Amino acid sequence: MSYEDKLERCKDRIIEFGKNEEVLVIYDTGGLHTEMGDYQSYLRDIFAKLPAQDIPHVVLIQSRVTPVGIREKYSWLYHRSIVPLNDDEMQVVVSLRLKDLRIPFSEDELARLVHLLDGHPVNLRMALAYIQAHGIQSFLRSPEELIIWKRGRATDVLRKISFNDTERRVIGALLEYSTVPLEMLSRLCGEEPEVMKATRALEDRFVVLRREDIFEISRFLRGGAERDDRFELDENQRRDMANQIVEHFGEYRDEDNIPVALLDMRLTVGTFEKPSNRNSDDLKELLLPSHWIRLGRRAYDAHHFRESIKYCETALSLSPVLLTDGARIEALRLVGLSAARLGGGRLPNEQLSSSIRRLRQIKGKGAARIIPFLEGFNARLAGLWDVAEDRFRVALSIDLVNFSVLRELSHIMLLKEDYPEALKFAEEAYSYAPTNPYIIDILLDALIGARPNLDPDRINSLMRDLKEYGSSDGYVFHQIKSSKFMLKNRDYAEALRLAEEAISKAPKLAAAHFARAEANLRLARFGQVESDIKTLSNLVSDSNSIEARTHVMSLRLLRFRLSVENGQIDNAITALQSHSWPKSMLSRERANLARLIAFEPSKYSPNAVNWAKSASSSS
């Protein structure tokens, strides 16, 4: 059959569908378009042969947007972008589909499932296929395949697109403020013609969505955009945008209608910057608890802990009618975390205690879990690892699938060098957040420490993910993890080189200095280890370091091991006897040291030999 005959046959079949009041639906899985964005030639030729009619012959469900210039070439094409469903709409769709499939579910399971889907039907289809095979609880316990696929897809899409400066600035503004009116984008991102051109181009690529004159980043690409360094705003750009928003907001008169999106942007900037022409007290009256809590969360993420407490306490002071239990718990959580950070783990801490007292007044699992979590977090900052572990385990017993608790427990078990336990918690945390660089970092530590025979493919895969998802911090994490991997493989010189490279990029990161000290210790460079200990002592005693006291015990262990390796066994014994240690760590190090002395007792002092005999008999 010739090419022309094939075209005619396809045309006739499509027309026959129409006569039967049917329509041909073509679902694109990636092959509908050419590299240049045009339709495949055989499709163009078929569509050109179809006669005009009032209803469509063919419906194309496309995986990418056809560029405007190509759309305008074809009179037979009507193009419509479908925006993602919001969470309420998605909840209805998911509920109906689960009922159709006769899959039982609870309200909590429905809400957690909807949160994972980003309003995208393709995500729903993937999730339902897994749920049908394994059940909804199994999927919610381990949703990493969907998460990795979603984020990988977003990263791949953005990677293939080149953006000019204006387009990058538009995306940066939308990442900062979520939804932005067109009039405000023109003020924030450049000259109006250039911004209009940029938004049209971004719409054509489906990077941004437009609802009337309000723009936002496409939900399925937002995660990828947040991890893409090209769209990150520096402090000067953020400050300029905030000033522009405050200035523009002040230009509205009392009788003007202010767009809701602009009002939300003004509230996001905050109420403590330089006031606009509008009375700042009037502005404060417009803020809901959710605005104050959002400001508190942003301040906490920026390490402005006093500001975070101030914003969250303001939210908590508003009418109880406006404040749900969930919002109250989140505000008190941020107050507690900020207070713990400011106090460096020290007790008493009145702000932390006040947060916990108020949480005890809220019924339900959410508040009950946060209380031991805050107590454990404060204990970890104080370097009280046993107490921290105990409180985190209590929190986990209340909520078995909480990501934050799993992350903290895996961190504590790593500090205590209990690698099998650390690996157990890290694997579970990874199942919920497989692109979180901190979790990948902890998982790699646990794998390197726990496994005598490492799986190089998995290690390399996680190393690549750490480098990709962690941006500049991730690169430092990658260097530290590579150094530890080299230590495991006994390539101590390369381990030292990688640790020093990490220090050059993050000179105040304690983990990098510990990695260098460990490499120097293996190379018997004891003078260099002493120097590393001095540097670490300064870092740990730095009152401005929010994590400093967490490392006190690790530094104590490093000093102990230096004494052992340097042959100063009596000093090592004194260290074990005169300091407090986590129980499991003390038991392990006592047993190891006792075995070392018993192996060749003639090398050591009578006091050391007697101590070793006593330690062996007591164990």
Side-chain angles (χ1 to χ4, degrees), residues 85-104:
L85 302 176
N86 63 40
D87 283 351
D88 290 338
E89 293 167 334
M90 199 65 178
Q91 190 156 335
V92 173
V93 173
V94 174
S95 176
L96 290 173
R97 291 292 291 121
L98 291 174
K99 288 176 181 177
D100 287 343
L101 296 169
R102 298 185 178 181
I103 297 171

Side-chain angles (χ1 to χ4, degrees), residues 119-138:
H120 204 294
V122 174
N123 295 343
L124 174 59
R125 189 171 63 178
M126 287 186 66
L128 286 176
Y130 186 99
I131 289 169
Q132 281 183 279
H134 304 286
I136 190 169
Q137 292 179 344
S138 176

